[in-house]
Amino acid sequence: MIEIELDGKKVSVQEGSMVMHAAEAAGTYIPHFCYHKKLSIAANCRMCLVDVEKAPKPMPACATPVTQGMIVRTKSDKAIKAQQSVMEFLLINHPLDCPICDQGGECQLQDLAVGYGKSASRYEEEKRVVFPKDVGPLISMEEMSRCIHCTRCVRFGQEIAGQMELGMAHRGEHSEITTFLSGTVDSELSGNMIDICPVGALTSKPFRYSARTWELSRRKSVSPHDSTGANLIVQVKNHQVLRVVPLENEAVNECWIADRDRYSYEALNGDARNTSPMLKQGGQWKPVDWQTALEYVANGLKQISRDHGANAIGALASAGSTTEELHLLAQLVRGLGSDNIDHRLGRSDFRQDPARVQWLGTSIASLSTLDRVLVVGSFLRKDHPLFAQRIRQAARHGALVTRVHGVAEDWLMPVAAEAIAAPSEWVRSLAEIAAAVAMTKGIAAPFDVAAGDIAKAIALGLLGGQRKAILLGNAAVRHPQAADLQALAQWLGEHTGASVGFLGEGGNAVGAQLVGALPRTDGLDAAAMLAQPRKAYLLFNTEPVLDAANAAQAAAALAAAEMVVAFSPFSANVEQADVLLPIAPFTETGGAFVNADGRVQSFHGVVRPLGDTRPGWKVLRVLGNLLGLPGFSQETVEEVRAQALGDVAAIPARLDNRTTVLAQLNAPVAGLQRLADTPIYATDSMVRRAPSLQKTADASATPVALPGALWTALGLREGVAQVRVSQGGVAVTLSAVRDDRLAADTVRVSTGLAATAALGAAFGPVNVETA
């Protein structure tokens, strides 16, 4: 530690720290623009000039290393005059359009100009003009004349998002921040550039001119879209959500959120919202009151239970539902005498012990400090943008990242070794890695297989380092041999000292397991409920035709049912449902999500429910009362949560990734195999209905990708081609692109899209021919 004197106070900081870090430790504010605690130091703006004793001129606090005995003054006349001079230069070319600026009221330049600016400018020359740029549907660069060249956005792209989409062109007064070759900004984390821009140069295109910042109420919430559980500040005006920004939480999302978390709120105010209970009569939807709708559902469930038995009733739920909703749904189904409830619609292997709660296996924060990480079956960047960002930080500090996957997609970080194989070969790839570990340690391997060079490189990486993790992604969890992958991952973890965990699907997958939203005894899992159609389905916050592992099977099962009840904030499942019950999205109800590392995060509704929408837990409670079931007398959401989770402090002891399944090696599979990803803006009913997200490059990506050898064999031309994809006796014509990163005999066909919903299993044999 080094001790310096800062404004007369002694401050101790780590060797190598800057004066700015010492000021932060002492609670002393030094004005700045380009400095950001999560970004590298650029020393561009010079606003943080301070008076360092024995230095001939003021020094930038952000780029001046501390030395033993250094004396720094941040409030001396020398420092203040230097800061005032810098402010005068910064305002020379600024348009001074504060009255019409969207950033007005939360602009660092505006705030500091009050303290360090003059009342009038000495410069009368023409101000420079920077022409606006169109960089996509999310970020507005209409007012780049306001830019002060702090380069925060540039450094964010390079260091956090992993791709340099913005850069500074030209020199002097001709300098400007721009994209390369007039491209768009397509990062899944791009909206964070708006937050860190200290002036109004980068603003939110969907929010632009919607409200002034001081008109907005700010309320805390939690994102439901992925297992990070990102903390949010939801900004509201006139009972309408107008903007979502991050709430800083170092243990969860730091100060970042994904664009999916930031812009999905648009769906809450859109035309797709259903605001009244609806019954289908004669093929036509008719609005009814809540009493009529719930009595219809209760009578229908009783009738089906009498005629066909309680086992004819099944419930399918989304892992984005709250813990309280999932608890009451499970209580309702079991109260009727059925154990058919599941939230794992995307899975096809259900050998997991329902008593063991799968989780990340380590803390989210620890992902940033890993030395070694093996990721199995994950479209990491798009499935878990904030986890990818943390692993990227670990890689920047020397961590070895390795993976087993079906495509060598760009994670925007160095990948030390990768086993790229068709999905049916993933178990063998892990077995080879296990064999390499066993050979190195002189122990017996799980299987007698020969380890290739890639497997040896991955094994060698896992055997080194101190902090290491094996992470199973969404594709691994949805794999037909998911339990075998888990068993081999467990063996590798035991013999390399790595933690083993699941990156997690949805915002509340851990909570869903904790409250029993999956079959416990003789109930049917999600796949079985759709393969063996039930007479009645309760669809809670889910669209099975888009969410299920086998979309065609889901559509057939729902079409054959006598009654389908859809609980959703949106007009969802309209083709299959008989009843639509409008339940509140996360912004209009209270509840709790349990994120990937087992952290319970509760939240309250930030706006009142729209129209006749009601909180999902209240709808289930009333339905339980109409059915005459015990345990539905709760008055508050907190009461439901207490019953659902019990002692929150005991939850870590309930998290358990161990498995008793013994891995098996299947025979090699011939022919083409489907590898299914769910595009980042097709993961749930809310993001599917967010207009701005649906205009992005990710949302318009081609749904089919073919490996180079197949592309050539089919005689397709470069660019986008039309192909006929057939699976399970169904064929559809889709657009396709060539992707040489795919494993041989592997065809990527996305799920969660209407275009591919007629196809069968997400993994399995598929046929492709020219259209």
Short mmCIF file of all heavy atoms in Angstrom, two decimals, residues 186-212:
data_model
loop_
_atom_site.label_atom_id
_atom_site.label_comp_id
_atom_site.label_asym_id
_atom_site.label_seq_id
_atom_site.Cartn_x
_atom_site.Cartn_y
_atom_site.Cartn_z
N ASP A 186 -24.40 -3.51 -33.65
CA ASP A 186 -25.22 -4.72 -33.51
C ASP A 186 -24.92 -5.53 -32.25
O ASP A 186 -25.47 -6.61 -32.07
CB ASP A 186 -25.02 -5.63 -34.74
CG ASP A 186 -25.44 -4.95 -36.02
OD1 ASP A 186 -26.46 -4.23 -35.99
OD2 ASP A 186 -24.76 -5.12 -37.05
N SER A 187 -24.06 -5.04 -31.38
CA SER A 187 -23.73 -5.77 -30.17
C SER A 187 -24.97 -5.99 -29.31
O SER A 187 -25.85 -5.12 -29.22
CB SER A 187 -22.68 -5.02 -29.36
OG SER A 187 -22.57 -5.55 -28.05
N GLU A 188 -25.03 -7.14 -28.66
CA GLU A 188 -26.14 -7.43 -27.75
C GLU A 188 -26.06 -6.63 -26.46
O GLU A 188 -26.96 -6.68 -25.64
CB GLU A 188 -26.17 -8.93 -27.44
CG GLU A 188 -24.93 -9.48 -26.77
CD GLU A 188 -23.79 -9.80 -27.72
OE1 GLU A 188 -23.92 -9.57 -28.94
OE2 GLU A 188 -22.75 -10.28 -27.24
N LEU A 189 -24.98 -5.86 -26.29
CA LEU A 189 -24.80 -5.01 -25.11
C LEU A 189 -24.76 -3.53 -25.49
O LEU A 189 -24.39 -2.68 -24.67
CB LEU A 189 -23.50 -5.37 -24.38
CG LEU A 189 -23.38 -6.81 -23.85
CD1 LEU A 189 -21.96 -7.07 -23.35
CD2 LEU A 189 -24.37 -7.05 -22.72
N SER A 190 -25.16 -3.20 -26.71
CA SER A 190 -24.90 -1.86 -27.26
C SER A 190 -25.54 -0.74 -26.45
O SER A 190 -25.00 0.37 -26.37
CB SER A 190 -25.39 -1.78 -28.70
OG SER A 190 -26.81 -1.91 -28.77
N GLY A 191 -26.70 -0.97 -25.83
CA GLY A 191 -27.40 0.09 -25.12
C GLY A 191 -26.61 0.68 -23.97
O GLY A 191 -26.88 1.82 -23.54
N ASN A 192 -25.62 -0.05 -23.46
CA ASN A 192 -24.80 0.48 -22.37
C ASN A 192 -23.98 1.69 -22.81
O ASN A 192 -23.57 2.50 -21.98
CB ASN A 192 -23.88 -0.61 -21.83
CG ASN A 192 -24.65 -1.73 -21.16
OD1 ASN A 192 -25.24 -1.55 -20.10
ND2 ASN A 192 -24.68 -2.89 -21.79
N MET A 193 -23.74 1.81 -24.11
CA MET A 193 -23.03 3.00 -24.61
C MET A 193 -23.82 4.26 -24.32
O MET A 193 -23.25 5.33 -24.10
CB MET A 193 -22.80 2.87 -26.11
CG MET A 193 -21.88 1.74 -26.54
SD MET A 193 -21.73 1.72 -28.34
CE MET A 193 -20.74 0.24 -28.57
N ILE A 194 -25.15 4.15 -24.34
CA ILE A 194 -26.01 5.30 -24.05
C ILE A 194 -25.81 5.72 -22.59
O ILE A 194 -25.68 6.91 -22.28
CB ILE A 194 -27.48 4.94 -24.30
CG1 ILE A 194 -27.69 4.58 -25.77
CG2 ILE A 194 -28.40 6.08 -23.89
CD1 ILE A 194 -29.03 3.92 -26.05
N ASP A 195 -25.78 4.73 -21.69
CA ASP A 195 -25.65 5.04 -20.26
C ASP A 195 -24.33 5.73 -19.95
O ASP A 195 -24.27 6.62 -19.10
CB ASP A 195 -25.74 3.76 -19.44
CG ASP A 195 -27.11 3.10 -19.53
OD1 ASP A 195 -28.09 3.82 -19.75
OD2 ASP A 195 -27.19 1.87 -19.38
N ILE A 196 -23.25 5.29 -20.59
CA ILE A 196 -21.94 5.82 -20.22
C ILE A 196 -21.57 7.08 -21.00
O ILE A 196 -20.56 7.71 -20.69
CB ILE A 196 -20.83 4.76 -20.37
CG1 ILE A 196 -20.70 4.30 -21.83
CG2 ILE A 196 -21.08 3.58 -19.45
CD1 ILE A 196 -19.55 3.32 -22.05
N CYS A 197 -22.37 7.44 -22.01
CA CYS A 197 -22.11 8.69 -22.72
C CYS A 197 -22.36 9.86 -21.77
O CYS A 197 -23.47 10.02 -21.25
CB CYS A 197 -23.01 8.80 -23.95
SG CYS A 197 -22.75 10.31 -24.91
N PRO A 198 -21.37 10.72 -21.53
CA PRO A 198 -21.55 11.79 -20.53
C PRO A 198 -22.30 13.00 -21.06
O PRO A 198 -22.57 13.93 -20.31
CB PRO A 198 -20.11 12.15 -20.16
CG PRO A 198 -19.33 11.88 -21.40
CD PRO A 198 -19.99 10.70 -22.07
N VAL A 199 -22.59 13.01 -22.37
CA VAL A 199 -23.35 14.10 -22.96
C VAL A 199 -24.52 13.48 -23.74
O VAL A 199 -24.75 12.29 -23.66
CB VAL A 199 -22.45 14.95 -23.89
CG1 VAL A 199 -21.37 15.64 -23.08
CG2 VAL A 199 -21.82 14.11 -24.99
N GLY A 200 -25.24 14.28 -24.49
CA GLY A 200 -26.41 13.76 -25.21
C GLY A 200 -26.10 13.32 -26.62
O GLY A 200 -26.97 13.42 -27.50
N ALA A 201 -24.87 12.82 -26.88
CA ALA A 201 -24.51 12.42 -28.24
C ALA A 201 -25.14 11.09 -28.60
O ALA A 201 -25.63 10.91 -29.72
CB ALA A 201 -22.99 12.34 -28.36
N LEU A 202 -25.11 10.12 -27.69
CA LEU A 202 -25.74 8.82 -27.91
C LEU A 202 -26.99 8.75 -27.03
O LEU A 202 -26.90 8.88 -25.82
CB LEU A 202 -24.79 7.68 -27.55
CG LEU A 202 -23.45 7.62 -28.29
CD1 LEU A 202 -22.64 6.43 -27.81
CD2 LEU A 202 -23.64 7.56 -29.79
N THR A 203 -28.13 8.55 -27.65
CA THR A 203 -29.37 8.46 -26.89
C THR A 203 -30.17 7.25 -27.35
O THR A 203 -29.88 6.65 -28.39
CB THR A 203 -30.22 9.74 -27.05
OG1 THR A 203 -30.40 10.00 -28.44
CG2 THR A 203 -29.55 10.93 -26.39
N SER A 204 -31.17 6.90 -26.56
CA SER A 204 -32.01 5.75 -26.87
C SER A 204 -33.01 6.12 -27.97
O SER A 204 -33.83 7.02 -27.80
CB SER A 204 -32.76 5.29 -25.62
OG SER A 204 -33.76 4.36 -25.95
N LYS A 205 -32.95 5.42 -29.09
CA LYS A 205 -33.85 5.75 -30.21
C LYS A 205 -35.31 5.47 -29.86
O LYS A 205 -36.17 6.31 -30.14
CB LYS A 205 -33.42 4.98 -31.46
CG LYS A 205 -34.11 5.45 -32.73
CD LYS A 205 -33.52 4.83 -33.98
CE LYS A 205 -32.25 5.51 -34.42
NZ LYS A 205 -31.80 5.05 -35.76
N PRO A 206 -35.67 4.35 -29.21
CA PRO A 206 -37.08 4.15 -28.86
C PRO A 206 -37.60 5.16 -27.84
O PRO A 206 -38.78 5.52 -27.86
CB PRO A 206 -37.10 2.72 -28.29
CG PRO A 206 -35.91 2.05 -28.87
CD PRO A 206 -34.87 3.13 -28.98
N PHE A 207 -36.73 5.63 -26.93
CA PHE A 207 -37.17 6.55 -25.87
C PHE A 207 -37.16 8.02 -26.33
O PHE A 207 -37.85 8.85 -25.77
CB PHE A 207 -36.27 6.40 -24.65
CG PHE A 207 -36.46 7.45 -23.59
CD1 PHE A 207 -37.61 7.46 -22.81
CD2 PHE A 207 -35.51 8.43 -23.37
CE1 PHE A 207 -37.80 8.43 -21.84
CE2 PHE A 207 -35.69 9.41 -22.40
CZ PHE A 207 -36.84 9.40 -21.63
N ARG A 208 -36.40 8.31 -27.35
CA ARG A 208 -36.13 9.69 -27.78
C ARG A 208 -37.41 10.52 -27.88
O ARG A 208 -38.39 10.14 -28.52
CB ARG A 208 -35.42 9.62 -29.13
CG ARG A 208 -34.87 10.91 -29.65
CD ARG A 208 -34.02 10.60 -30.89
NE ARG A 208 -33.72 11.78 -31.66
CZ ARG A 208 -32.73 12.62 -31.41
NH1 ARG A 208 -31.95 12.42 -30.36
NH2 ARG A 208 -32.51 13.66 -32.17
N TYR A 209 -37.42 11.67 -27.22
CA TYR A 209 -38.53 12.64 -27.23
C TYR A 209 -39.81 12.09 -26.59
O TYR A 209 -40.89 12.63 -26.84
CB TYR A 209 -38.84 13.11 -28.66
CG TYR A 209 -37.69 13.85 -29.31
CD1 TYR A 209 -37.37 13.62 -30.65
CD2 TYR A 209 -36.91 14.76 -28.60
CE1 TYR A 209 -36.30 14.28 -31.26
CE2 TYR A 209 -35.85 15.41 -29.20
CZ TYR A 209 -35.55 15.18 -30.52
OH TYR A 209 -34.50 15.82 -31.11
N SER A 210 -39.69 11.05 -25.77
CA SER A 210 -40.89 10.51 -25.09
C SER A 210 -41.20 11.26 -23.81
O SER A 210 -42.36 11.39 -23.43
CB SER A 210 -40.70 9.03 -24.77
OG SER A 210 -40.56 8.28 -25.93
N ALA A 211 -40.15 11.72 -23.12
CA ALA A 211 -40.35 12.41 -21.84
C ALA A 211 -39.07 13.12 -21.46
O ALA A 211 -37.98 12.79 -21.95
CB ALA A 211 -40.74 11.42 -20.75
N ARG A 212 -39.18 14.10 -20.56
CA ARG A 212 -38.00 14.71 -19.97
C ARG A 212 -37.62 13.89 -18.74
O ARG A 212 -38.47 13.34 -18.05
CB ARG A 212 -38.28 16.16 -19.58
CG ARG A 212 -38.78 17.05 -20.70
CD ARG A 212 -37.94 16.93 -21.98
NE ARG A 212 -36.55 17.27 -21.81
CZ ARG A 212 -35.99 18.41 -22.23
NH1 ARG A 212 -36.72 19.32 -22.84
NH2 ARG A 212 -34.71 18.65 -22.04
#
